[in-house]
């Protein structure tokens, strides 16, 4: 009976989640495992106070809701709540190890777009929120090459709540997969995809040995990577512009100060930073 | 299909746009009397960064110096741009499409020169203020309007990019329809020159964060009225530099609310790319090679400055020479070194 009702509701696919993911504009979302949603512990703090129609929304997400019995208005409210609830669960899920690996896969496919900055050479981006509280700020995109955040190109993505991804996610990803940290300059292997794949190969090696042994392949120090970063230098008939050049030099000094700081630290510790 | 739709003739890589604009191109062929080639060309999709180059600018041969060598079928292309009916038989031209692409190249190169003129700059500032070039994608630039710029002055090297006067960085245009616009049609000089002409649209190179220690800014050389904390009313003492208060916020990566330490391998490495000094004079604390003038020097200088500012007696004159007039200082050093005798006599006289 229940199977029939859900089947008739979603002609596109068999579960609410896969329908939701296939909807236009939801390309940024990863599929949250049903096991994860069904574990009540993971939903701590999410309840009727936070999400309206909480239990019905949860049932809808897990395909346990008999929608036929609801009238149009309620169904719509439940649908809205379900999206909201899914977003909040999603924010929690993507910082788990399974969630991270799913998002990594999407990052490799550049599902989140590429950095608009010219000197980032089409670096794939990652979604990030500016607040973990819903209804505050829309989702932004973090570029691991220039370490800055950008607004999504399309309005459809620009209106997604940033709390569905959270402030932590991209940084957690690079904590867990430091091999995925891109270089700062022009990618060596012309395409950034090759870059990603190469680091993934390294990561395979790394997964075998935890701790100190991972220093071997992926433990290259990142303290001086910033030297390779390219910048735009405005020129008028080939001549640098005074004030821009001054700021450029000041930033160079800041950069070199940081590199010196990090290299000193490395020397003190006698090993590359981890 | 390209040749069947005169007068539109786009590069092969513009095919999709051409298809999209097929109908209007036919319209333009019927209404050539009212619509000039320039008007038509700048109204094509993806060409909205171009401004209309004034015909008298193109008609002045001086402005076209050197272009004849760069553009094939120069004369025919020029006639097309200016909507002049070709005089001779057009039989020697193998294909009208070649002239079309020449005309586009010529227009682009003339455009590069035109937008550097006073009239051209004022045309572009109108477009800029109307937001025709879009906004900076960077979040903390808060949709600052951007300006088209090229990375090369020779055609065929790179496509057009967008320069943001707040972060000073360049970005790829958001739509692929601009991927066929050559950066040389705007040139490398245009955007910096534009902001030299209109410094009120350029962000100042310094930014006082709101949580600045008031103590720190009070020690600044800038008079107190000019340096309130917050940076909104700060004025740039360099009248040729950016006059707009900078949007200086820099993204700080956080994990569960905690800043990611720079000691971490994945820690921040690029903050400097977006940072600015809090005060204008901080820019001068860096030497020409991009190194901080050593800390001891800075602290000495600060002490001196405070003494000088306080107007403390006998050292005052000497200090003002130090700061305000480097040339004077150099000269006096030379005097001291070169004519030690003379210097000594002066000193002894003074004594």
């Amino acid at each position: 009976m229940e199977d029939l009702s859900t089947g008739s509701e979603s002609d596109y696919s068999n579960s609410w989640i896969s329908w939701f993911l296939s909807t236009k504009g939801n390309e940024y979302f990863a599929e949250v495992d049903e096991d994860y949603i069904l574990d009540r512990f993971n939903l701590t703090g999410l309840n009727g106070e936070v999400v309206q129609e909480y239990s019905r929304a949860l049932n809808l997400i897990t395909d346990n809701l008999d929608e036929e019995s609801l009238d149009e208005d309620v169904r719509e409210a439940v649908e809205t709540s379900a999206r909201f609830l899914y977003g909040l669960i999603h924010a929690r899920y993507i910082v788990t190890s399974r969630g991270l690996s799913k998002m990594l896969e999407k990052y490799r496919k550049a599902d989140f777009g590429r950095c608009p900055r010219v000197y980032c050479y089409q670096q794939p981006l990652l979604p990030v929120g500016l607040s973990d509280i819903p209804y505050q700020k829309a989702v932004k995109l973090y570029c691991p090459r220039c370490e800055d955040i950008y607004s999504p190109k399309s309005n459809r993505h620009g209106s997604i709540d940033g709390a569905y991804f959270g402030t932590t996610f991209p940084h957690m990803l690079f904590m867990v997969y430091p091999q995925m940290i891109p270089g700062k300059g022009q990618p060596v292997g012309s395409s950034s995809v090759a870059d990603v794949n190469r680091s993934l190969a390294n990561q395979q090696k790394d997964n075998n040995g935890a701790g100190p042994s991972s220093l071997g392949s992926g433990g290259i120090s990142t303290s001086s990577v910033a030297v390779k970063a390219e910048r735009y230098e405005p020129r008028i008939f080939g001549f640098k512009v005074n004030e821009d050049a001054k700021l450029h030099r000041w930033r160079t000094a800041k950069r070199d100060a940081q590199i010196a700081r990090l290299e000193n630290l490395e020397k003190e510790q006698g090993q590359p930073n981890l | 299909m390209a040749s069947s739709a005169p007068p539109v003739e786009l590069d092969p890589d513009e095919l999709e746009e051409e298809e999209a604009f097929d109908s209007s191109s036919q319209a333009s062929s019927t209404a050539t009397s009212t619509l000039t080639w320039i008007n038509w060309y700048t109204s094509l999709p993806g060409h909205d960064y171009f401004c209309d180059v004034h015909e008298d600018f193109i008609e002045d041969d001086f402005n076209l110096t050197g272009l004849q060598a760069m553009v094939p079928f120069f004369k025919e292309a020029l006639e097309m741009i200016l909507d002049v009916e070709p005089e001779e038989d057009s039989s020697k031209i193998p294909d009208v499409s070649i002239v079309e692409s020449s005309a586009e190249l010529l227009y682009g190169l003339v455009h590069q020169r035109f937008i550097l003129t006073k009239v051209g700059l004022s045309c572009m500032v109108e477009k800029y203020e109307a937001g025709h070039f879009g906004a900076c994608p960077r979040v903390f630039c808060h949709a600052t309007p951007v300006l088209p710029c090229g990375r090369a002055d020779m055609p065929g090297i790179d496509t057009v990019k967008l320069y943001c006067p707040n972060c000073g960085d360049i970005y790829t245009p958001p739509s692929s329809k601009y991927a066929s616009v050559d950066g040389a049609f705007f040139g490398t000089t245009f955007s910096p020159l534009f902001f030299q002409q209109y410094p009120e649209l350029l962000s100042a190179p310094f930014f006082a964060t709101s949580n600045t220690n008031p103590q720190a800014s009070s020690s600044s050389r800038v008079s107190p009225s000019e340096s309130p904390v917050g940076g909104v009313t700060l004025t740039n003492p360099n009248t040729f530099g950016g006059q707009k208060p900078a949007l200086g916020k820099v993204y700080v990566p956080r994990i569960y609310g905690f800043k990611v330490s720079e000691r971490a391998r994945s820690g921040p490495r690029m903050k400097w790319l977006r940072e600015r000094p809090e005060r204008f004079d901080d820019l001068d604390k860096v030497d020409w090679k991009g190194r901080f003038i050593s800390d001891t020097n800075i602290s000495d200088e600060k002490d001196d400055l405070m003494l000088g500012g306080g107007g403390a007696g006998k050292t005052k004159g000497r200090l003002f020479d130090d700061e305000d007039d480097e040339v004077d200082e150099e000269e006096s050093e030379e005097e001291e070194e070169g004519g030690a005798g003379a210097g000594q006599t002066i000193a002894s006289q003074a004594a």
Side-chain angles (χ1 to χ4, degrees):
Chain A
M1 181 59 211
E2 212 172 85
D3 277 344
L4 275 177
S5 70
T6 52
S8 64
E9 210 289 318
S10 48
D11 288 317
Y12 323 89
S13 51
N14 33 20
S15 77
W16 184 87
I17 293 179
S18 47
W19 165 80
F20 176 77
L21 295 177
S22 62
T23 311
K24 245 190 167 186
N26 290 345
E27 292 84 0
Y28 288 178
F29 288 95
E31 186 190 2
V32 181
D33 291 335
E34 199 157 331
D35 297 352
Y36 186 86
I37 302 174
L38 290 174
D39 185 339
R40 284 297 160 123
F41 176 75
N42 295 324
L43 308 183
T44 308
L46 300 177
N47 49 43
E49 283 169 41
V50 184
V51 186
Q52 288 176 340
E53 298 280 0
Y54 170 74
S55 49
R56 278 175 179 165
L58 188 59
N59 285 338
L60 179 59
I61 292 174
T62 52
D63 303 306
N64 289 323
L65 186 69
D66 182 13
E67 281 183 275
E68 305 288 290
S69 65
L70 303 173
D71 62 56
E72 198 60 32
D73 290 353
V74 179
R75 201 189 298 181
E76 223 159 83
V78 171
E79 183 66 46
T80 316
S81 290
R83 290 156 186 264
F84 180 60
L85 180 61
Y86 186 81
L88 295 184
I89 299 172
H90 185 264
R92 297 177 175 197
Y93 175 72
I94 56 173
V95 288
T96 65
S97 63
R98 276 193 59 79
L100 282 173
S101 75
K102 275 191 186 174
M103 289 299 263
L104 183 67
E105 202 56 39
K106 291 174 74 67
Y107 166 68
R108 286 178 63 206
K109 288 188 282 176
D111 278 359
F112 312 111
R114 293 172 184 278
C115 185
R117 185 171 171 267
V118 171
Y119 293 108
C120 281
Y121 299 100
Q122 304 284 308
Q123 170 66 37
L125 297 164
L126 284 166
V128 67
L130 293 181
S131 168
D132 290 308
I133 302 158
Y135 303 124
Q136 304 277 319
K137 285 268 168 70
V139 70
K140 305 294 174 203
L141 297 167
Y142 173 79
C143 171
R145 196 175 284 270
C146 58
E147 297 173 9
D148 210 336
I149 49 171
Y150 299 95
S151 300
K153 267 191 211 175
S154 108
N155 277 337
R156 221 183 286 132
H157 295 139
S159 56
I160 300 174
D161 198 323
Y164 298 168
F165 297 89
T167 57
T168 300
F169 160 67
H171 316 301
M172 183 63 98
L173 185 111
F174 289 109
M175 280 275 175
V176 175
Y177 300 102
Q179 314 79 14
M180 298 303 295
I181 302 169
K184 300 302 180 195
Q186 189 163 13
V188 193
S190 63
S191 82
S192 52
V193 182
D195 208 24
V196 171
N197 288 339
R198 184 158 31 80
S199 10
L200 214 81
N202 284 341
Q203 170 221 330
Q204 296 292 329
K205 274 186 242 158
D206 266 25
N207 279 348
N208 301 333
S213 64
S214 67
L215 275 173
S217 55
I220 308 142
S221 157
T222 58
S223 38
S224 62
V225 283
V227 176
K228 291 199 181 119
E230 291 166 76
R231 280 177 284 172
Y232 175 65
E233 258 189 295
R235 280 166 190 267
I236 295 180
F237 299 118
F239 296 102
K240 289 182 199 170
V241 185
N242 174 280
E243 196 171 88
D244 289 312
K246 270 188 180 175
L247 185 59
H248 192 95
R249 285 197 294 268
W250 184 85
R251 284 174 172 164
T252 308
K254 279 293 234 190
R255 180 194 73 189
D256 293 344
Q258 186 191 34
I259 290 170
R261 201 158 62 229
L262 291 171
E263 282 181 344
N264 271 339
L265 205 76
E266 238 167 58
K267 241 180 256 166
E268 275 171 34
Q269 294 174 341
Q271 60 173 46
N273 285 321
L274 273 179
Chain B
M1 55 176 179
S3 53
S4 68
V8 206
E9 200 57 62
L10 302 175
D11 293 338
D13 52 341
E14 287 181 18
L15 275 178
E16 31 180 303
E17 280 148 39
E18 189 201 333
E19 279 167 352
F21 222 70
D22 220 19
S23 53
S24 56
S25 70
Q26 274 158 3
S28 77
S29 64
T30 56
T32 35
S33 53
T34 52
L35 191 71
T36 65
W37 186 92
I38 294 173
N39 281 331
W40 163 78
Y41 183 70
T42 54
S43 66
L44 287 178
H47 290 190
D48 33 356
Y49 292 167
F50 288 109
C51 73
D52 289 1
V53 179
H54 295 183
E55 286 195 7
D56 40 348
F57 183 85
I58 306 175
E59 279 160 2
D60 186 340
D61 280 346
F62 177 74
N63 293 328
L64 308 179
T65 308
L67 294 185
Q68 194 148 9
M70 293 170 72
V71 181
F73 297 102
F74 176 79
K75 193 165 155 282
E76 289 79 3
L78 190 60
E79 281 170 352
M80 182 175 278
I81 290 176
L82 296 173
D83 300 299
V84 180
E85 290 297 317
E87 295 154 14
E88 304 146 45
D89 56 329
S90 53
S91 57
K92 67 175 180 181
I93 300 159
D95 191 350
V96 78
S97 68
I98 295 174
V99 180
E100 270 289 346
S101 59
S102 285
E104 286 175 19
L105 177 64
L106 178 60
Y107 184 77
L109 294 174
V110 174
H111 185 266
Q112 182 204 103
R113 298 175 175 196
F114 175 70
I115 56 177
L116 302 181
T117 64
K118 209 174 175 189
V119 186
L121 283 167
S122 72
C123 280
M124 289 303 262
V125 80
E126 251 170 59
K127 284 175 75 70
Y128 179 80
E129 283 176 337
H132 285 190
F133 309 120
C136 182
R138 186 171 166 266
V139 171
F140 292 123
C141 283
H142 297 292
T144 301
V146 290
L147 196 67
C149 78
R151 288 207 289 165
D153 288 316
M154 292 299 286
I157 295 173
D158 198 9
T159 59
V160 67
K161 305 288 180 240
L162 298 168
Y163 172 78
C164 170
N166 186 57
C167 55
D169 217 330
I170 50 171
Y171 298 97
T172 310
S175 164
S176 59
K177 68 183 176 182
Y178 302 112
S180 57
V181 179
D182 199 310
F185 296 172
F186 297 89
T188 58
T189 300
F190 166 61
S191 61
L193 189 71
F194 179 92
F195 289 109
Q196 289 281 301
Q197 178 77 11
Y198 304 104
E200 68 276 8
L201 298 174
L202 180 68
S203 289
F206 53 91
F207 172 73
T209 44
S210 48
N211 54 359
T212 310
N213 182 4
Q215 214 64 34
S217 59
S218 70
S219 71
S220 122
R221 176 182 0 193
V222 190
S223 71
S225 61
E226 276 180 325
S227 59
V229 180
V232 185
T233 49
L234 266 176
T235 49
N236 190 344
N238 174 12
T239 48
F240 304 105
Q243 298 298 321
K244 209 174 131 190
L247 303 165
K249 204 171 168 197
V250 179
Y251 179 65
V252 180
R254 285 171 190 272
I255 292 183
Y256 298 125
F258 298 102
K259 287 180 192 169
V260 182
S261 165
E262 68 175 13
R263 294 184 175 209
R265 228 175 100 199
S266 62
R269 295 287 180 269
M270 298 293 286
K271 260 180 87 176
W272 53 272
L273 183 68
R274 307 302 194 196
E275 274 178 331
R276 324 168 181 254
E278 286 186 4
R279 295 196 316 275
F280 180 75
D281 7 342
D282 288 349
L283 287 174
D284 295 324
K285 290 181 182 162
V286 175
D287 66 12
W288 63 276
K289 269 182 159 177
R291 290 177 308 203
F292 280 118
I293 297 159
S294 65
D295 288 338
T296 50
N297 283 353
I298 291 173
S299 59
D300 284 350
E301 200 183 308
K302 258 187 191 164
D303 290 345
D304 288 350
L305 285 173
M306 275 154 77
L307 280 172
K314 56 182 176 182
T315 50
K316 189 176 176 182
R318 169 112 184 94
L319 275 167
F320 271 123
D321 279 349
D322 267 358
E323 295 153 25
D324 298 335
D325 219 328
E326 281 180 37
V327 185
D328 272 6
E329 189 195 58
E330 276 166 29
E331 276 171 10
S332 67
E333 271 172 19
E334 274 169 18
E335 276 169 21
E336 278 165 37
E337 281 169 1
Q344 270 172 344
T345 52
I346 292 168
S348 60
Q349 273 170 1

